[in-house]
Amino acid sequence: AANAAHQARRRLTRRMDDLGQWLPWIGAAASIVCLACALRAQKQRLLIDYLPTSKTSGVFVGHVELKGTAESRDPLKSQFTSTPCVWFRITVQERNPHSSKDEDWETRTVTQEVPFELKDDRGSLRIDPRGAKVIPEVVYGKADLQLFAGRQSPVRSSIPANLRLVREEVIRLHSRIFVAGHASQRPGGATAEI
């Protein structure tokens, strides 16, 4: 038994030595990945910092930055707060009532958007928000016992309401917005869109 324990320790020591040979390489690879991520983030920050803000009447094809208001002839109404908007997202986090773990939460998201016009003092430009990184306004966010009283939940669930957290975010109709993206020529037209 003592011999078997001694052999097991020797095998473990050999494995640790083998792993120890790879640790510098693993550390170097992790450092390179971190450096690449930092450089990419710096490049994006500099692009936004040094890109001049254009007016809608002076947009050329390529990377642009614009400020104005979000306008739409057919706006959405957010599902929970009925806020007139051009984009909304509802995130529902639910805890499994049969679990004793605090981290056992399931998250579901519903997002809707419509193409809209960014309007400034010189005109307007069509914006298509599909796939865009959006930093929205939070219009509702809390745990609520009577969450969907009299209304259908936008996310179907059998979880009791006291184990549910809800957050609704929007881009309000007529709100001031900032857009950075690639402007391209609209199909079949001489105007640009982002």
Short mmCIF file of all heavy atoms in Angstrom, two decimals, residues 88-112:
data_model
loop_
_atom_site.label_atom_id
_atom_site.label_comp_id
_atom_site.label_asym_id
_atom_site.label_seq_id
_atom_site.Cartn_x
_atom_site.Cartn_y
_atom_site.Cartn_z
N PHE A 88 -37.02 48.62 -28.63
CA PHE A 88 -37.14 48.26 -27.22
C PHE A 88 -36.65 46.84 -26.99
O PHE A 88 -36.62 46.02 -27.89
CB PHE A 88 -38.57 48.45 -26.68
CG PHE A 88 -39.57 47.42 -27.12
CD1 PHE A 88 -39.71 46.21 -26.46
CD2 PHE A 88 -40.39 47.67 -28.20
CE1 PHE A 88 -40.64 45.27 -26.87
CE2 PHE A 88 -41.33 46.74 -28.62
CZ PHE A 88 -41.45 45.53 -27.95
N ARG A 89 -36.26 46.61 -25.73
CA ARG A 89 -35.82 45.27 -25.31
C ARG A 89 -36.38 45.02 -23.91
O ARG A 89 -36.25 45.86 -23.03
CB ARG A 89 -34.30 45.19 -25.29
CG ARG A 89 -33.77 43.88 -24.74
CD ARG A 89 -32.26 43.74 -24.85
NE ARG A 89 -31.57 44.87 -24.28
CZ ARG A 89 -30.43 45.38 -24.77
NH1 ARG A 89 -29.88 44.86 -25.84
NH2 ARG A 89 -29.86 46.40 -24.19
N ILE A 90 -36.99 43.86 -23.74
CA ILE A 90 -37.45 43.42 -22.42
C ILE A 90 -36.60 42.22 -22.04
O ILE A 90 -36.49 41.27 -22.81
CB ILE A 90 -38.94 43.04 -22.43
CG1 ILE A 90 -39.80 44.25 -22.77
CG2 ILE A 90 -39.34 42.45 -21.08
CD1 ILE A 90 -41.26 43.93 -22.90
N THR A 91 -36.01 42.29 -20.86
CA THR A 91 -35.22 41.18 -20.34
C THR A 91 -35.90 40.67 -19.09
O THR A 91 -36.18 41.45 -18.16
CB THR A 91 -33.79 41.64 -19.99
OG1 THR A 91 -33.21 42.22 -21.16
CG2 THR A 91 -32.93 40.47 -19.53
N VAL A 92 -36.21 39.40 -19.07
CA VAL A 92 -36.85 38.77 -17.92
C VAL A 92 -35.88 37.73 -17.36
O VAL A 92 -35.43 36.84 -18.08
CB VAL A 92 -38.19 38.09 -18.31
CG1 VAL A 92 -38.82 37.40 -17.10
CG2 VAL A 92 -39.14 39.09 -18.91
N GLN A 93 -35.55 37.88 -16.08
CA GLN A 93 -34.71 36.91 -15.40
C GLN A 93 -35.58 36.17 -14.40
O GLN A 93 -36.29 36.80 -13.61
CB GLN A 93 -33.56 37.59 -14.66
CG GLN A 93 -32.56 38.22 -15.58
CD GLN A 93 -31.46 38.89 -14.79
OE1 GLN A 93 -31.73 39.77 -13.99
NE2 GLN A 93 -30.24 38.46 -15.03
N GLU A 94 -35.54 34.86 -14.46
CA GLU A 94 -36.38 34.05 -13.59
C GLU A 94 -35.52 33.06 -12.81
O GLU A 94 -34.62 32.45 -13.36
CB GLU A 94 -37.41 33.29 -14.41
CG GLU A 94 -38.35 34.22 -15.14
CD GLU A 94 -39.26 33.47 -16.08
OE1 GLU A 94 -38.83 32.48 -16.71
OE2 GLU A 94 -40.41 33.89 -16.19
N ARG A 95 -35.86 32.92 -11.55
CA ARG A 95 -35.16 31.96 -10.70
C ARG A 95 -36.00 30.69 -10.62
O ARG A 95 -37.21 30.75 -10.45
CB ARG A 95 -34.97 32.54 -9.31
CG ARG A 95 -34.22 31.60 -8.40
CD ARG A 95 -33.77 32.31 -7.15
NE ARG A 95 -33.12 31.34 -6.28
CZ ARG A 95 -33.56 31.04 -5.08
NH1 ARG A 95 -34.59 31.66 -4.57
NH2 ARG A 95 -32.92 30.14 -4.36
N ASN A 96 -35.34 29.57 -10.75
CA ASN A 96 -36.02 28.29 -10.65
C ASN A 96 -36.51 28.12 -9.21
O ASN A 96 -35.71 28.11 -8.28
CB ASN A 96 -35.05 27.16 -11.02
CG ASN A 96 -35.70 25.80 -11.01
OD1 ASN A 96 -36.78 25.60 -10.44
ND2 ASN A 96 -35.05 24.85 -11.64
N PRO A 97 -37.82 27.98 -8.98
CA PRO A 97 -38.34 27.89 -7.61
C PRO A 97 -37.94 26.59 -6.90
O PRO A 97 -38.03 26.50 -5.69
CB PRO A 97 -39.85 27.98 -7.79
CG PRO A 97 -40.10 27.52 -9.18
CD PRO A 97 -38.88 27.90 -9.97
N HIS A 98 -37.48 25.62 -7.67
CA HIS A 98 -37.11 24.33 -7.08
C HIS A 98 -35.62 24.23 -6.79
O HIS A 98 -35.15 23.20 -6.36
CB HIS A 98 -37.54 23.19 -8.00
CG HIS A 98 -38.98 23.25 -8.35
ND1 HIS A 98 -39.99 23.05 -7.42
CD2 HIS A 98 -39.61 23.53 -9.52
CE1 HIS A 98 -41.16 23.18 -8.01
NE2 HIS A 98 -40.96 23.48 -9.28
N SER A 99 -34.89 25.32 -7.04
CA SER A 99 -33.44 25.31 -6.83
C SER A 99 -33.09 26.10 -5.57
O SER A 99 -33.73 27.09 -5.24
CB SER A 99 -32.73 25.94 -8.02
OG SER A 99 -31.35 26.05 -7.76
N SER A 100 -32.06 25.66 -4.88
CA SER A 100 -31.60 26.37 -3.70
C SER A 100 -30.39 27.25 -4.02
O SER A 100 -29.91 27.98 -3.16
CB SER A 100 -31.23 25.38 -2.59
OG SER A 100 -30.19 24.53 -3.04
N LYS A 101 -29.91 27.22 -5.26
CA LYS A 101 -28.75 28.01 -5.65
C LYS A 101 -29.17 29.42 -6.06
O LYS A 101 -30.12 29.59 -6.82
CB LYS A 101 -28.02 27.35 -6.83
CG LYS A 101 -27.47 25.99 -6.54
CD LYS A 101 -26.83 25.44 -7.80
CE LYS A 101 -26.42 24.00 -7.62
NZ LYS A 101 -25.91 23.43 -8.87
N ASP A 102 -28.46 30.42 -5.56
CA ASP A 102 -28.76 31.80 -5.93
C ASP A 102 -28.43 32.09 -7.39
O ASP A 102 -29.02 32.98 -8.00
CB ASP A 102 -27.98 32.78 -5.04
CG ASP A 102 -28.60 32.91 -3.67
OD1 ASP A 102 -29.79 32.57 -3.52
OD2 ASP A 102 -27.91 33.36 -2.75
N GLU A 103 -27.48 31.37 -7.97
CA GLU A 103 -27.08 31.65 -9.33
C GLU A 103 -27.89 30.88 -10.37
O GLU A 103 -27.58 30.93 -11.55
CB GLU A 103 -25.58 31.39 -9.52
CG GLU A 103 -25.14 29.97 -9.28
CD GLU A 103 -24.78 29.66 -7.83
OE1 GLU A 103 -24.68 30.59 -7.01
OE2 GLU A 103 -24.65 28.48 -7.52
N ASP A 104 -28.92 30.18 -9.98
CA ASP A 104 -29.72 29.38 -10.89
C ASP A 104 -30.86 30.22 -11.48
O ASP A 104 -32.02 30.01 -11.18
CB ASP A 104 -30.25 28.14 -10.18
CG ASP A 104 -30.72 27.07 -11.15
OD1 ASP A 104 -30.44 27.21 -12.36
OD2 ASP A 104 -31.34 26.11 -10.69
N TRP A 105 -30.49 31.20 -12.32
CA TRP A 105 -31.45 32.10 -12.97
C TRP A 105 -31.41 31.85 -14.47
O TRP A 105 -30.36 31.59 -15.04
CB TRP A 105 -31.08 33.55 -12.70
CG TRP A 105 -31.35 33.99 -11.29
CD1 TRP A 105 -30.58 33.70 -10.20
CD2 TRP A 105 -32.43 34.76 -10.82
NE1 TRP A 105 -31.13 34.26 -9.08
CE2 TRP A 105 -32.27 34.92 -9.43
CE3 TRP A 105 -33.52 35.35 -11.44
CZ2 TRP A 105 -33.16 35.64 -8.66
CZ3 TRP A 105 -34.41 36.07 -10.66
CH2 TRP A 105 -34.22 36.21 -9.29
N GLU A 106 -32.56 31.97 -15.10
CA GLU A 106 -32.66 31.86 -16.55
C GLU A 106 -33.03 33.23 -17.10
O GLU A 106 -33.90 33.90 -16.55
CB GLU A 106 -33.74 30.84 -16.93
CG GLU A 106 -33.86 30.62 -18.41
CD GLU A 106 -34.93 29.60 -18.76
OE1 GLU A 106 -35.22 28.71 -17.92
OE2 GLU A 106 -35.48 29.70 -19.87
N THR A 107 -32.38 33.65 -18.17
CA THR A 107 -32.64 34.96 -18.76
C THR A 107 -33.24 34.79 -20.14
O THR A 107 -32.73 34.03 -20.96
CB THR A 107 -31.33 35.78 -18.85
OG1 THR A 107 -30.78 35.91 -17.54
CG2 THR A 107 -31.59 37.15 -19.44
N ARG A 108 -34.32 35.55 -20.40
CA ARG A 108 -34.94 35.57 -21.73
C ARG A 108 -35.09 37.01 -22.16
O ARG A 108 -35.37 37.88 -21.34
CB ARG A 108 -36.31 34.91 -21.69
CG ARG A 108 -36.20 33.43 -21.40
CD ARG A 108 -37.52 32.76 -21.53
NE ARG A 108 -37.66 31.89 -20.38
CZ ARG A 108 -38.80 31.48 -19.89
NH1 ARG A 108 -39.92 31.84 -20.44
NH2 ARG A 108 -38.82 30.68 -18.85
N THR A 109 -34.92 37.25 -23.45
CA THR A 109 -34.96 38.61 -23.97
C THR A 109 -35.86 38.68 -25.20
O THR A 109 -35.83 37.79 -26.05
CB THR A 109 -33.54 39.07 -24.36
OG1 THR A 109 -32.70 38.97 -23.22
CG2 THR A 109 -33.53 40.50 -24.85
N VAL A 110 -36.64 39.76 -25.27
CA VAL A 110 -37.47 40.07 -26.44
C VAL A 110 -37.02 41.44 -26.92
O VAL A 110 -37.01 42.40 -26.14
CB VAL A 110 -38.97 40.09 -26.08
CG1 VAL A 110 -39.79 40.57 -27.28
CG2 VAL A 110 -39.44 38.73 -25.62
N THR A 111 -36.62 41.54 -28.19
CA THR A 111 -36.19 42.82 -28.77
C THR A 111 -37.00 43.08 -30.03
O THR A 111 -37.23 42.17 -30.82
CB THR A 111 -34.69 42.78 -29.13
OG1 THR A 111 -33.94 42.46 -27.97
CG2 THR A 111 -34.22 44.12 -29.68
N GLN A 112 -37.43 44.34 -30.19
CA GLN A 112 -38.10 44.75 -31.43
C GLN A 112 -37.56 46.11 -31.84
O GLN A 112 -37.27 46.95 -30.98
CB GLN A 112 -39.62 44.84 -31.25
CG GLN A 112 -40.29 43.50 -31.20
CD GLN A 112 -41.81 43.63 -31.23
OE1 GLN A 112 -42.38 44.71 -31.15
NE2 GLN A 112 -42.48 42.50 -31.34
#
